[in-house]
């Protein structure tokens, strides 16, 4: 088959790219290794920046998000048994975040794709990229046991951290920057109404904990754990007991309990690929960069990349201009590195160290926590990064 842009991966990045291209009259074919059900039920991110919400609304994708998304104007930092509110809205000129699950965004995008006749193949296998440095790249794959080939002008590698697109960039061109953290997150979903209507990031001597939510009846919670943590050691009772300990608060607030419907361990990593472009291959989202989830930036960065890429393709096809495509990598990397730094900062601030340097490092963390909750300048810096920097016009 022949298309203008072949898109590898139907996560938020690939699905949104195909939608934005379609709005510009640009044809694309999207291929995905997993099933539709798997993509629609994969529980991941929950926090959308204002710019992400605006992007989805402008693209006509915001109808359900406007109804069901929970708009938050602040977050709380809990340490030494006290909650401290960071008033995101007043510190950032009225910007806010919206809590709306990534899988809901993915469901909305897949619904829009199928309504608009988007060529989208789930359950594909043996995906490989060919001739991406030439004028006529190809994507090979199998579907239902049949070998398929896409001939295209460009390839968008939106296949996440474990995808194959990044490997099509020659080793002598590709540079990677990486940090793996000595801890992970044990995450649960519980059928329990959230007991607070804002997120709580807790620093406790036993480890970090995060209180979040997915809806008025579902609470999302995370606990810092070891990267090799064995889930079998975590009965529901142990999870709740550890959560109550880490969220212990002088005013008596604590998360509400309910049946746990999902439990998983997420490793923590910072990772950046430079450049994000090679020949006619463009990487977007987790295929190009990973942030630890503490800053809630991963999906937002994927959306930001795709905004830049869709606009660059539109300029190319409508006006024959290639400068935006040529600048794609450097345009995106500015925002990527800001988010990398912020995510690293939030991660270090909120996770106590258990290493040799713990006594000294943990005193510094406590000092920084007091600073960001008492200095307006420090709180504003945190708030500005958390809600996300505005997009260039
Ligand atoms: P995805 O979502 O990983 O999608 C990539 C898709 O590509 C498919 N694929 C392939 N398809 C075809 N051929 C191949 N060879 C393929 N190989 C893979 C995969 O099956 C998949 O469907 O990447 P994308 O689109 O770049 O989106 C990135 C986000 O998913 C990710 O950054 C966020 O989930 C990160 N994240 C968070 N981001 C936020 O913005 N806010 C948050 O609050 C937030 N919290 C989180 C998070 C990630 C977490 N985990 C589980 C890592 C919380 C957690 C716990
Ligand atoms: C979530 O709700 O899954 C969530 C919220 C905030 C984060 C990370 C994850 O920083």
């Amino acid at each position: 088959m022949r298309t203008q842009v072949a898109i590898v991966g139907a996560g938020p990045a690939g699905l949104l790219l195909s939608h934005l291209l379609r709005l510009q009259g640009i044809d694309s074919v999207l291929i995905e290794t997993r099933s539709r059900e798997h993509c629609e039920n994969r529980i991941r991110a929950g926090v959308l920046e204002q710019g992400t919400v605006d992007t989805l609304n402008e693209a006509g994708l915001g109808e359900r998000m406007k109804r069901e998304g929970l708009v938050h104007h602040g977050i709380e930092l809990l340490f030494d048994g006290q909650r401290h509110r960071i008033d995101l809205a007043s510190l950032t000129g009225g910007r806010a975040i919206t809590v709306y699950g990534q899988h809901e965004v993915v469901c909305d995008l897949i619904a829009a794709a199928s309504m608009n006749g988007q060529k989208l193949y789930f359950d594909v296998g043996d995906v490989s990229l060919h001739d991406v440095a030439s004028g006529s790249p190809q994507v090979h794959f199998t579907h239902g046991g049949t070998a398929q080939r896409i001939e295209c002008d460009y390839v968008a590698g939106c296949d996440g951290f474990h995808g194959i697109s990044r490997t099509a960039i020659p080793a002598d061109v590709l540079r990677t920057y990486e940090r793996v953290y000595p801890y992970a997150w044990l995450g649960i979903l519980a059928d329990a109404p959230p007991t607070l209507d804002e997120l709580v990031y807790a620093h406790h001597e036993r480890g970090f904990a995060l209180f979040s939510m997915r809806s008025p009846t579902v609470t999302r919670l995370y606990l810092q754990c070891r990267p090799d943590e064995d889930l079998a050691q975590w009965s529901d009772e142990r999870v709740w007991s550890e959560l109550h300990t880490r969220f212990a608060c002088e005013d008596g607030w604590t998360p509400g309990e309910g049946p746990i419907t999902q439990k998983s361990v997420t490793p923590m990593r910072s990772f950046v690929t430079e450049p994000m472009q090679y020949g006619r291959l463009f990487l977007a989202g987790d295929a190009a960069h990973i942030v630890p989830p503490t800053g809630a930036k991963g999906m937002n960065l994927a959306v930001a990349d795709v905004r830049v890429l869709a606009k660059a393709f539109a300029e190319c096809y409508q006006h024959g201009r290639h400068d935006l495509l040529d600048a794609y990598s450097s345009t995106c990397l500015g925002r990527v590195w800001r988010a990398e730094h912020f995510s690293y900062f939030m991660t270090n601030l909120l996770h106590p160290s258990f290493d040799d340097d713990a006594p000294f490092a943990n005193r510094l963390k406590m000092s920084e926590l007091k600073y960001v909750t008492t200095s307006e300048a420090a709180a504003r810096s945190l708030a500005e990064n958390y809600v996300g920097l505005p997009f260039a016009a």
Side-chain angles (χ1 to χ4, degrees):
M1 56 191 102
R2 158 97 217 145
T3 189
Q4 289 174 304
V5 182
I7 304 176
V8 184
L15 286 162
L16 180 61
L17 180 63
S18 69
H19 185 88
L20 296 178
L21 292 181
R22 194 170 53 246
L23 293 179
Q24 301 284 347
I26 300 167
D27 189 62
S28 70
V29 174
L30 185 47
I31 59 169
E32 163 63 48
T33 44
R34 311 302 296 253
S35 68
R36 175 173 178 167
E37 293 66 39
H38 180 90
C39 294
E40 288 184 337
N41 292 300
R42 194 164 38 193
I43 300 296
R44 284 196 167 174
V47 173
L48 309 185
E49 293 176 355
Q50 182 79 59
T52 298
V53 169
D54 295 345
T55 303
L56 296 173
N57 280 331
E58 286 160 18
L61 294 160
E63 196 212 331
R64 195 163 66 96
M65 175 180 68
K66 270 188 236 158
R67 250 185 298 126
E68 298 178 15
L70 309 168
V71 178
H72 289 191
H73 294 103
I75 56 169
E76 306 226 348
L77 303 184
L78 165 56
F79 57 94
D80 277 349
Q82 299 209 325
R83 288 188 281 132
H84 303 260
R85 184 164 189 270
I86 306 277
D87 190 327
L88 299 173
S90 74
L91 290 163
T92 62
R95 291 168 79 79
I97 54 155
T98 297
V99 175
Y100 187 66
Q102 175 172 326
H103 66 290
E104 307 289 6
V105 175
V106 165
C107 286
D108 296 345
L109 282 162
I110 292 176
S114 51
M115 204 171 72
N116 292 296
Q118 170 67 39
K119 279 159 274 173
L120 166 51
Y121 296 84
F122 288 102
D123 303 298
V124 306
D126 306 315
V127 179
S128 58
L129 310 187
H130 301 268
D131 304 328
V132 294
S134 79
S136 49
Q138 297 171 18
V139 179
H140 295 192
F141 64 100
T142 55
H143 187 245
T146 310
Q148 301 278 1
R149 190 176 75 222
I150 309 174
E151 292 177 356
C152 54
D153 300 335
Y154 297 98
V155 178
C158 303
D159 49 352
F161 182 64
H162 299 288
I164 51 97
S165 297
R166 199 170 56 243
T167 62
I169 303 184
D172 60 340
V173 175
L174 191 77
R175 279 160 299 162
T176 58
Y177 302 85
E178 183 166 24
R179 182 188 168 88
V180 177
Y181 297 82
Y183 35 77
W185 281 11
L186 190 164
I188 64 156
L189 267 186
D191 284 334
T195 49
L196 199 73
D197 54 14
E198 292 185 336
L199 273 60
V200 183
Y201 290 84
H203 175 104
H204 187 275
E205 60 185 16
R206 292 176 61 83
F208 167 77
L210 171 61
F211 168 86
S212 179
M213 62 215 64
R214 283 293 175 277
S215 73
T217 56
V218 176
T219 304
R220 176 77 164 147
L221 294 146
Y222 298 97
L223 286 169
Q224 175 181 352
C225 64
R226 292 200 320 272
D228 60 351
E229 196 76 46
D230 177 10
L231 270 182
Q233 304 297 313
W234 286 86
S235 64
D236 293 2
E237 295 68 37
R238 182 174 173 207
V239 170
W240 288 119
S241 155
E242 191 63 31
L243 284 165
H244 292 309
T245 302
R246 295 194 196 178
F247 284 117
C249 197
E250 280 170 17
D251 66 7
W253 173 80
T254 199
E257 294 189 20
I260 295 179
T261 56
Q262 203 244 14
K263 222 184 255 174
S264 60
V265 173
T266 303
M268 309 273 279
R269 182 192 299 276
S270 298
F271 176 87
V272 180
T273 300
E274 291 186 3
M276 290 168 58
Q277 171 199 2
Y278 175 71
R280 288 177 171 245
L281 169 66
F282 294 83
L283 302 179
D286 280 15
H289 40 71
I290 295 285
V291 285
T294 330
K297 288 280 166 264
M299 176 171 45
N300 294 298
L301 275 184
V303 169
D305 288 351
V306 158
R307 259 183 86 105
V308 174
L309 189 53
K311 189 169 171 204
F313 279 136
E315 283 299 313
C316 168
Y317 282 111
Q318 287 158 12
H319 306 291
R321 274 180 55 189
H322 290 88
D323 51 328
L324 294 187
L325 276 180
D326 294 342
Y328 171 72
S329 188
S330 59
T331 304
C332 290
L333 284 168
R335 188 182 194 88
V336 166
W337 276 111
R338 179 87 300 281
E340 288 288 345
H341 175 264
F342 177 66
S343 305
Y344 167 90
F345 160 79
M346 286 286 275
T347 302
N348 278 322
L349 175 67
L350 289 159
H351 293 73
S353 169
F354 297 105
D355 298 340
D356 294 344
D357 71 338
F360 182 75
N362 291 335
R363 280 287 199 278
L364 291 184
K365 291 173 204 280
M366 290 311 291
S367 168
E368 183 85 22
L369 279 165
K370 285 177 191 148
Y371 183 51
V372 296
T373 49
T374 50
S375 154
E376 186 175 315
R380 191 184 303 282
S381 165
L382 189 154
E384 175 178 76
N385 281 280
Y386 192 84
V387 300
L389 298 173
F391 291 122

